[in-house]
Amino acid sequence: MLELKNISYHVETGNGRDILNHVNLKIDDRFTAITGPNGGGKSTLAKMIAGIIQPTEGQIFFDGQDITGVSITERARLGISYAFQQPVRFKGITVLDLIRLASGEKLSVEGACRYLSEVGLCARDYINREVDASLSGGELKRIEIATVIARGSRLSVFDEPEAGIDLWSFQNLIAVFESMHEQTQGNIVIISHQERILNIADKIVVIADGEIKKEGAKDEILPQLLNGSPETGQQLRGACHRFA
């Protein structure tokens, strides 16, 4: 479904810096987890898929169509959703407004409430609240996930969805992702360090120093991350954290 060919992202600093360096990746599994050390290029790659930033080199294809220069708005219309690591606040916009915008439909209050219920929020307490500073980071994160569910995208990208999520919510996050796939039959990409999230992946991609160091089936890659095998080297050790 999604293919990145020879993708690089260079930032002009005093000495210049390559955030991503000739990345080649195909994403066509149900769940793909991207992990690796902090600063390795994971979030940059996610934003590049969404169209928030453009590569300095290479091409991105979605269902065979070159979308390298396509805007974030056009990518959304094609069926690509993106959930920020730190969700955006929208003063003056209610949760109901946001879910309706995401779905592209004039949802009833009851219809919008169903999406909030899927992420463990009591709908009557949130549906008319503004998406502003009065909401906690965890509440915003769950509302954002509800909007992605409402969109029913063919490709959904989540940047560290566990950030700011309390333990109860984290335990239910896995079920939310599995339900999303059942409803949309789309592909889900998750940027995460958490073992429980990596454990539901069909494919794990490890990025460090702007390059793909390892990729493959979960049963092959996850034991290497947890055990720090000599083959993977120091760059992969510490990439995976448990969430007790």
Side-chain angles (χ1 to χ4, degrees):
M1 174 179 279
L2 185 81
E3 184 175 8
L4 297 98
K5 291 187 176 181
N6 201 37
I7 289 293
S8 295
Y9 185 64
H10 182 83
V11 175
E12 292 296 339
T13 61
N15 298 316
R17 184 187 174 201
D18 288 320
I19 307 298
L20 294 173
N21 187 24
H22 302 293
V23 170
N24 290 282
L25 178 64
K26 288 184 178 180
I27 295 174
D28 54 11
D29 293 275
R30 181 185 60 155
F31 290 113
T32 298
I34 300 178
T35 192
N38 290 332
K42 303 183 303 298
S43 291
T44 299
L45 184 63
K47 290 175 182 176
M48 199 166 285
I49 292 171
I52 297 170
I53 58 177
Q54 299 293 324
T56 51
E57 183 181 339
Q59 293 174 288
I60 302 174
F61 294 88
F62 186 57
D63 283 347
Q65 176 182 345
D66 188 343
I67 62 168
T68 311
V70 171
S71 70
I72 184 172
T73 302
E74 287 302 317
R75 292 189 199 199
R77 288 177 180 148
L78 288 172
I80 299 175
S81 289
Y82 176 78
F84 289 86
Q85 186 175 342
Q86 298 295 329
V88 179
R89 299 175 190 269
F90 300 96
K91 185 174 177 60
I93 296 179
T94 67
V95 172
L96 176 59
D97 294 332
L98 197 61
I99 293 177
R100 281 175 170 170
L101 284 169
S103 70
E105 301 175 11
K106 185 69 173 178
L107 286 174
S108 66
V109 171
E110 181 183 1
C113 285
R114 282 198 297 269
Y115 292 116
L116 290 176
S117 298
E118 287 194 49
V119 296
L121 292 177
C122 181
R124 67 175 177 272
D125 294 336
Y126 290 92
I127 198 69
N128 292 314
R129 289 182 64 177
E130 289 191 12
V131 188
D132 58 14
S134 67
L135 295 168
S136 71
E139 290 170 329
L140 281 169
K141 179 70 76 170
R142 285 196 265 176
I143 290 166
E144 183 183 50
I145 293 171
T147 64
V148 174
I149 296 172
R151 286 211 64 226
S153 300
R154 292 160 56 220
L155 175 65
S156 301
V157 182
F158 293 90
D159 192 353
E160 298 197 22
E162 70 275 9
I165 291 285
D166 57 73
L167 180 58
W168 182 91
S169 301
F170 187 89
Q171 291 172 334
N172 286 275
L173 199 56
I174 306 302
V176 168
F177 288 137
E178 291 174 339
S179 175
M180 272 185 64
H181 176 73
E182 289 176 5
Q183 292 177 40
T184 67
Q185 293 300 303
N187 302 83
I188 299 172
V189 176
I190 307 173
I191 311 295
S192 182
H193 294 287
Q194 299 299 339
E195 180 186 347
R196 287 195 201 175
I197 289 181
L198 299 183
N199 201 47
I200 67 168
D202 300 300
K203 178 179 182 178
I204 295 177
V205 179
V206 182
I207 294 181
D209 299 326
E211 299 178 353
I212 294 178
K213 301 298 182 180
K214 278 283 181 180
E215 65 175 298
K218 173 196 66 179
D219 293 342
E220 173 193 355
I221 303 298
L222 188 55
Q224 297 179 27
L225 289 171
L226 296 175
N227 300 327
S229 68
E231 179 189 2
T232 60
Q234 184 62 37
Q235 289 169 314
L236 304 192
R237 297 188 182 103
C240 181
H241 305 302
R242 291 174 171 84
F243 196 108

